[in-house]
Amino acid sequence: MIEVENLHKSFGSLKVLNGISLSITKGEVVCVIGPSGSGKSTLLRCLNFLEKPDSGTIRVAGEPAYYDMVDGHQVLHPKRRIADVRARLGMVFQEFNLFPHLTALENVIEAPVHVRGMPREQAIQKGLQLLNRVGLADKADHYPEELSGGQRQRTAIARALAMDPAAMLFDEPTSALDPELVHEVLEAMRQLSADGMTMIVVSHEMNFARQVAHRVLFVDKGVIVEEGPPEQIFGSPVEARTQSFLKTVFDR
């Protein structure tokens, strides 16, 4: 579904991604863990082209995404083609980024109507189905300020799903929530996994990674230090850096 080969990204003199390669299969849930500043969020932002990689290759469903590498240089695809790929990779951020002047339903249908040209009535029916899917059927007419943080984040998930993505990218989706609200968002994500959605999740929620992920990547200093099934990464990590990180996390 998603292939990354030798991805590099720097901000000035700071190297953030240093040759990351990975492959995500259809229906797979991959959790990316690691210390702050390790490059996890930048990896997702490059996958969705919110950040332009310096070099490397990204493929979605076997096709080069966003650009071709020609003689070591990036040749960007036309804007429409870039937009089409981005729409296939739904993104959910730390902050909810909802339009405050629109209801939950209006936030969900905004892109299908104005980007895809979907008839409004059809979009409304789909939006109601998606809000029901994330447990918010009774909140369709509520504005973001009338929703809890967990409800806002679930609305953001429904909004991303409204574009029928092939995969979902989650960038620490619970980090801005009060602890008692984390569960409802993770439960919605668990349901997506059970429905077979391909997901890449950057998260500090180790129990979610342990219970839901098919594979866990430990990233540090812009490289994948270690990867494997959750039982191996959390139960018997091989690399000393992984061991040290997990000891710090679980000893808090």
Side-chain angles (χ1 to χ4, degrees):
M1 178 63 71
I2 301 173
E3 297 172 275
V4 177
E5 185 178 344
N6 199 27
L7 202 66
H8 289 259
K9 177 64 181 178
S10 297
F11 297 100
S13 61
L14 178 64
K15 284 189 174 182
V16 180
L17 300 181
N18 198 13
I20 280 187
S21 297
L22 60 91
S23 180
I24 313 292
T25 59
K26 185 176 181 180
E28 188 177 23
V29 178
V30 174
C31 282
V32 185
I33 64 172
S36 297
S38 59
K40 308 183 300 296
S41 293
T42 300
L43 172 61
L44 288 196
R45 291 177 67 84
C46 286
L47 290 180
N48 197 250
F49 215 56
L50 293 167
E51 298 288 352
K52 181 182 174 183
D54 296 330
S55 62
T57 302
I58 299 171
R59 297 184 185 89
V60 176
E63 296 294 325
Y66 312 126
Y67 55 87
D68 295 302
M69 294 300 295
V70 180
D71 296 329
H73 298 284
Q74 293 180 352
V75 178
L76 289 180
H77 293 167
K79 288 183 179 180
R80 181 64 192 218
R81 185 175 170 189
I82 290 174
D84 286 345
V85 174
R86 293 188 67 202
R88 299 186 67 196
L89 301 176
M91 186 92 172
V92 177
F93 302 87
Q94 298 178 34
E95 301 295 337
F96 322 117
N97 295 335
L98 299 177
F99 293 113
H101 63 290
L102 300 180
T103 65
L105 178 59
E106 288 168 340
N107 267 282
V108 172
I109 70 173
E110 179 77 4
V113 170
H114 295 287
V115 177
R116 286 273 171 86
M118 181 181 292
R120 186 174 180 83
E121 286 304 314
Q122 181 182 343
I124 287 173
Q125 291 303 313
K126 181 173 184 176
L128 290 171
Q129 291 171 0
L130 290 171
L131 287 172
N132 182 60
R133 185 175 176 184
V134 297
L136 293 175
D138 59 337
K139 302 295 184 182
D141 295 328
H142 287 60
Y143 289 89
E145 66 178 13
E146 300 173 311
L147 303 174
S148 70
Q151 290 168 342
R152 281 181 244 173
Q153 191 61 294
R154 284 185 283 154
T155 301
I157 292 172
R159 179 182 59 183
L161 290 171
M163 294 295 281
D164 295 319
M168 291 282 285
L169 312 177
F170 292 88
D171 186 9
E172 298 188 17
T174 61
S175 64
L177 300 178
D178 293 332
E180 64 268 23
L181 300 176
V182 168
H183 171 77
E184 62 190 58
V185 174
L186 294 182
E187 198 55 44
M189 294 169 62
R190 282 190 179 93
Q191 187 57 54
L192 286 180
S193 170
D195 292 342
M197 175 62 72
T198 306
M199 298 162 59
I200 306 177
V201 183
V202 169
S203 180
H204 294 295
E205 298 292 336
M206 298 299 158
N207 285 332
F208 176 84
R210 191 196 298 267
Q211 296 168 11
V212 179
H214 298 103
R215 190 156 42 109
V216 176
L217 310 183
F218 173 62
V219 175
D220 191 26
K221 297 179 180 178
V223 299
I224 297 173
V225 176
E226 187 168 357
E227 65 178 292
E231 56 270 22
Q232 184 254 304
I233 295 296
F234 293 112
S236 54
V238 173
E239 300 294 333
R241 181 65 188 97
T242 314
Q243 296 168 8
S244 172
F245 171 77
L246 292 174
K247 185 176 188 305
T248 300
V249 170
F250 288 113
D251 284 353
R252 287 175 182 168

